[in-house]
Amino acid sequence: DAKTTQPTSMDCAEGRAANLPCNHSTISGNEYVYWYRQIHSQGPQYIIHGLKNNETNEMASLIITEDRKSSTLILPHATLRDTAVYYCIVRVAGIQGAQKLVFGQGTRLTINP
Amino acid sequence: DTAVSQTPKYLVTQMGNDKSIKCEQNLGHDTMYWYKQDSKKFLKIMFSYNNKELIINETVPNRFSPKSPDKAHLNLHINSLELGDSAVYFCASSYGTSGRIDTQYFGPGTRLTVL
């Protein structure tokens, strides 16, 4: 699976959009970009995933560059409850049962009141 | 109606003891996982079972033995506990379906402290 690089930490004001970048310059054509987050003392939580196109769900938007070498997770109106460590993970999808997630250090996002 | 549950939430024990952590999922998933998060907060996969069959076995000491009595349960038994086993252990589950995106759902974690 391709390696990802994320900033160690970021701050964002409550109510503003939080934009979390991720570099994955060695991503291959069949690898997806996944985002998970881990709120303090809880298990990781799936946020969103994408292959080539931009994606949006009720939690966030995912913008993937045309060359697919980087992506940005956008939390449109950050709240204090969005304070967490955010993990960008790149991996091949769909191998029967072999879906291990390789977590890096992630980005510690702090939402300030 | 917890999706993935683990017991116990906290486990404090002495070195050399044997302990088990239980995991249950009510999502109808076929695949379950154990991850370990150490003091530096890195999450690493340990094992994965698909329909009660072991399919992922990372480099884990053989003191760790997963057991899957049915596809809704994956227990982790640890023999001869060592100080370095202190960590938070997370169970997860997913559909594990070939050819599809497979979201993993994590349990709340079990904090193991070995004294």
Side-chain angles (χ1 to χ4, degrees):
Chain A
D1 297 324
K3 181 178 168 58
T4 62
T5 305
Q6 300 177 249
T8 303
S9 63
M10 293 182 65
D11 284 87
C12 179
E14 188 179 17
R16 307 296 287 267
N19 298 294
L20 291 90
C22 179
N23 285 326
H24 30 78
S25 58
T26 60
I27 192 170
S28 54
N30 61 349
E31 288 184 310
Y32 285 73
V33 180
Y34 293 71
W35 283 84
Y36 280 75
R37 74 180 181 183
Q38 186 174 23
I39 296 170
H40 180 62
S41 298
Q42 298 182 23
Q45 176 190 24
Y46 166 81
I47 302 172
I48 199 166
H49 70 272
L51 181 63
K52 289 187 289 189
N53 300 321
N54 298 338
E55 303 288 344
T56 296
N57 63 20
E58 64 279 2
M59 289 182 70
S61 295
L62 175 60
I63 308 298
I64 302 174
T65 58
E66 195 168 339
D67 63 8
R68 303 210 321 124
K69 293 185 177 182
S70 65
S71 60
T72 301
L73 178 75
I74 301 172
L75 307 177
H77 304 288
T79 71
L80 297 178
R81 288 175 294 182
D82 292 321
T83 293
V85 178
Y86 287 76
Y87 297 98
C88 170
I89 299 166
V90 172
R91 64 156 295 111
V92 175
I95 301 169
Q96 179 68 36
Q99 294 281 346
K100 71 176 183 179
L101 296 174
V102 179
F103 289 84
Q105 68 175 17
T107 296
R108 180 172 297 279
L109 175 67
T110 302
I111 306 300
N112 301 306
Chain B
D1 58 346
T2 305
V4 182
S5 59
Q6 297 178 226
T7 54
K9 187 167 175 62
Y10 300 97
L11 183 54
V12 181
T13 188
Q14 299 287 331
M15 247 188 339
N17 285 348
D18 303 338
K19 290 293 179 186
S20 291
I21 306 171
K22 296 186 176 181
C23 178
E24 177 181 1
Q25 55 94 4
N26 62 5
L27 297 167
H29 289 162
D30 291 330
T31 305
M32 296 185 71
Y33 312 78
W34 277 110
Y35 287 82
K36 178 182 180 181
Q37 187 166 39
D38 60 24
S39 57
K40 295 183 178 179
K41 303 296 185 184
F42 285 108
L43 262 165
K44 292 184 181 177
I45 190 164
M46 301 172 68
F47 302 102
S48 176
Y49 270 73
N50 178 259
N51 276 321
K52 301 193 295 175
E53 181 183 346
L54 182 65
I55 54 170
I56 294 175
N57 187 351
E58 296 293 292
T59 308
V60 177
N62 57 16
R63 298 182 293 103
F64 290 78
S65 53
K67 293 277 190 320
S68 182
D70 55 62
K71 71 177 191 177
H73 295 84
L74 180 62
N75 303 322
L76 183 64
H77 189 76
I78 315 170
N79 289 328
S80 303
L81 278 156
E82 301 177 356
L83 294 176
D85 298 331
S86 295
V88 182
Y89 293 84
F90 289 99
C91 177
S93 72
S94 70
Y95 282 111
T97 304
S98 176
R100 299 179 60 180
I101 295 298
D102 198 40
T103 300
Q104 291 187 22
Y105 295 82
F106 285 78
T110 295
R111 182 175 294 277
L112 171 64
T113 303
V114 182
L115 304 175

